[in-house]
Structure formats: structure tokens, C-alpha cells
Amino acid sequence: MGILEVKDVGKRFGGLQALGDVNLSVKENTVHAIIGPNGAGKSTLLNCLVGKLIPDTGSVMFDGQSVLGRSPHEINQMGISRVFQTPEIFGDLSVMENMMIPCFAKRDGSFRMRAIENTMREKDVVEKAEAMLVDMNMADKRHMNAASMSRGDKRRLEIGMCLAQEPRLLLLDEPTAGMARADTNNTIDLLKQISDERDITIAIIEHDMHVVFSLAQRITVLAQGTPLVEDNPENIKGHPKVREAYLGETAA
Ligand SMILES: Nc1ncnc2c1ncn2[C@@H]1O[C@H](COP(=O)(O)OP(=O)(O)O)[C@@H](O)[C@H]1O
Ligand SMILES: [Mg+2]
């Protein structure tokens, strides 16, 4: 049994079957990649895992509990955090202020937003945020305005903000999309470090094969809403089904 069990999940948008019959098992403490061409249903699947969409059929269990019908906040409280395709940080706040938000929320047990001046007085929140910035290798950037950072650093901050919630499962939707190669490699190194050092399961949706093969222990190939093949990276490389899935796709 995996920590995340997706069984027979289907989702339609009007006449379009975005997800057919998706079955997926993500083992605890592994990095599992879900790959597939544009429009394969990857983001739809992810949205079903985090409460943004409710599938028409099937079940999604996290650690033996159903996530279906729960709000994104409840799912977050269950131990699932998600990194979006576009970094979700507060551009007008400093790096440190951004990091304090999830630290405060975690201790408080809710996402009650308070004035930053108030939270600044909360010693444990400050200490935790500082420790997270050290972990993320960003301590020297604590006073920087978040909007002025590179794309890679924004992503690093955002991943750190997710980790501050102490998730057991981290979900990432194309975390390196639109990044320069150097930023992509930084993100790969960060995710490697996280999966090596932490008791965490990572499920990553990814288009970039360099990222996939650098990180994943297990890969599911999705095409037209249906998993074509699931295997380890060695067997996925050059697999005819993978070529078939990407055939006819225009270069992104
Ligand atoms: N909210 C929506 N309404 C209608 N169609 C959607 C919606 N979201 C996604 N789709 C369609 O579902 C299919 C799968 O989309 P998506 O999950 O975003 O694919 P991927 O992330 O693999 O590129 C696509 O054909 C897309 O146009
Ligand atoms: Mg997508």
C-alpha cells in the first residue's frame, strides 16, 4: 500500500474525458513523477488530489483516509502541501516575512492572517522561519523583497514555505516550467536534498525529462487521461509507450 492511493479516478469537463481510469500508488518516502504530453490530464489529476476538483468516479486515499470532499485547507492539515506552477509568494513582503506566514499558520492550526508586525513578536515563529531559511540556503536573502528575487530563488522560497507546514506529501506541478537551466538545476538539487534529508514523499508532475530522470524513483506516464505505463526510470527510458505518448506533440 502506498501513502497515496488513487483508484479508478475519472473526471469529465463537459464532453471531454480529462481523466479516464486513473490508478496510481505512491510509496512512502519516494519521489514519484507523473509525466505526459500537454493536455494529458496531469494538472487535473493533481487538482483531484488537493481538493480543487472532485472526480466524477473513483477514490483518492492519503494514509488510509479519503481526501475527496475535503477542502484544500483540510487536505493541507492532513499533511499534503502543493507547489503551484507559478510561485505563490507575496511579492511585496520580504523573504523572512513570507517564510513566517506558514510558520505562524502551522502553530496556529489555521491560515488566520495577522499583521506581520504582530507575528514578528512571536518568538517561536521567528525562530522557525529563520531555521527554515537556513535549511533552504536563503538566510542571506532574508531582508530581500521577494519580488526582486530570481525565478529559482522564488521557487526555493515557495518550496520552503510548503515544508514549513511539515507535510508528509509534497506535490509539485511542473516546478521548473519556464526556468533557465541554472535555476532548474538549483531546483533539482534542492528537491534531492529534501528527499534525502526529510521524511517526506514527493509526487512531481513534470514535462522536463532532465528533471524527471534526475529525481524520480518511480514514473507514471499519463496520456489522454489514462496511465500508459508505470515503472522505474531505467525501464521508462526509451520505452515505446513513452514515445507513443509524446508522438505528435509540438515542441513546447
Ligand atoms: N476547468 C477545465 N474546464 C474544461 N476543460 C479543462 C479544464 N481543465 C482542464 N481541461 C482540459 O482537460 C484536459 C487535461 O488538462 P490538464 O489536466 O491541464 O493537462 P496537463 O496538465 O497534462 O497539460 C485538457 O484537454 C484541458 O484542456
Ligand atoms: Mg498542467
Side-chain angles (χ1 to χ4, degrees):
M1 274 291 267
I3 190 167
L4 181 73
E5 291 284 337
V6 176
K7 289 252 183 309
D8 305 325
V9 162
K11 179 75 193 172
R12 294 186 78 86
F13 296 113
L16 179 88
Q17 188 84 43
L19 295 176
D21 237 341
V22 178
N23 286 280
L24 181 71
S25 175
V26 177
K27 299 258 170 317
E28 195 161 9
N29 285 323
T30 59
V31 180
H32 193 125
I34 298 156
I35 67 172
N38 279 325
K42 302 181 299 297
S43 295
T44 303
L45 176 60
L46 201 76
N47 284 330
C48 290
L49 307 181
V50 296
K52 292 237 159 183
L53 279 177
I54 299 177
D56 305 327
T57 56
S59 64
V60 179
M61 305 290 281
F62 173 68
D63 199 21
Q65 280 188 293
S66 175
V67 305
L68 301 185
R70 294 180 198 258
S71 68
H73 173 66
E74 285 169 332
I75 289 172
N76 197 258
Q77 294 293 112
M78 287 171 80
I80 301 179
S81 284
R82 175 193 184 162
V83 173
F84 291 87
Q85 217 157 329
T86 316
E88 297 238 314
I89 54 171
F90 299 89
D92 54 336
L93 300 182
S94 74
V95 168
M96 177 63 178
E97 285 165 343
N98 267 281
M99 188 57 92
M100 283 172 58
I101 293 167
C103 296
F104 184 80
K106 179 71 192 176
R107 198 208 50 178
D108 197 46
S110 76
F111 271 85
R112 178 158 56 98
M113 289 278 284
R114 234 197 244 176
I116 289 295
E117 293 133 55
N118 282 342
T119 63
M120 273 299 205
R121 291 190 215 112
E122 316 247 353
K123 195 162 159 279
D124 53 337
V125 173
V126 173
E127 278 170 8
K128 182 161 179 210
E130 272 168 354
M132 278 309 299
L133 288 183
V134 170
D135 272 12
M136 292 297 107
N137 231 331
M138 301 193 85
D140 55 331
K141 300 193 167 84
R142 56 171 288 160
H143 296 300
M144 261 178 94
N145 193 277
S148 64
M149 291 196 299
S150 72
R151 184 121 189 199
D153 278 342
K154 282 179 188 158
R155 182 56 89 205
R156 181 172 288 266
L157 171 60
E158 193 196 15
I159 292 172
M161 288 168 72
C162 277
L163 291 179
Q165 298 164 14
E166 294 160 24
R168 296 178 59 205
L169 174 65
L170 180 65
L171 300 171
L172 302 113
D173 192 354
E174 302 200 29
T176 63
M179 271 187 192
R181 189 46 89 189
D183 282 336
T184 296
N185 287 337
N186 267 330
T187 306
I188 291 172
D189 290 345
L190 175 65
L191 292 172
K192 263 194 195 145
Q193 182 197 329
I194 290 166
S195 76
D196 287 349
E197 292 175 0
R198 287 173 189 261
D199 202 11
I200 196 165
T201 308
I202 297 178
I204 179 169
I205 281 179
E206 192 49 76
H207 210 80
D208 182 335
M209 293 299 161
H210 170 61
V211 178
V212 172
F213 289 116
S214 302
L215 286 172
Q217 284 130 23
R218 200 81 190 157
I219 299 173
T220 299
V221 184
L222 201 67
Q224 294 174 332
T226 310
L228 285 185
V229 55
E230 187 191 308
D231 216 323
N232 60 41
E234 283 313 304
N235 293 336
I236 290 288
K237 267 182 202 163
H239 195 293
K241 290 262 187 203
V242 180
R243 292 188 44 178
E244 182 189 310
Y246 282 89
L247 220 62
E249 193 196 17
T250 47

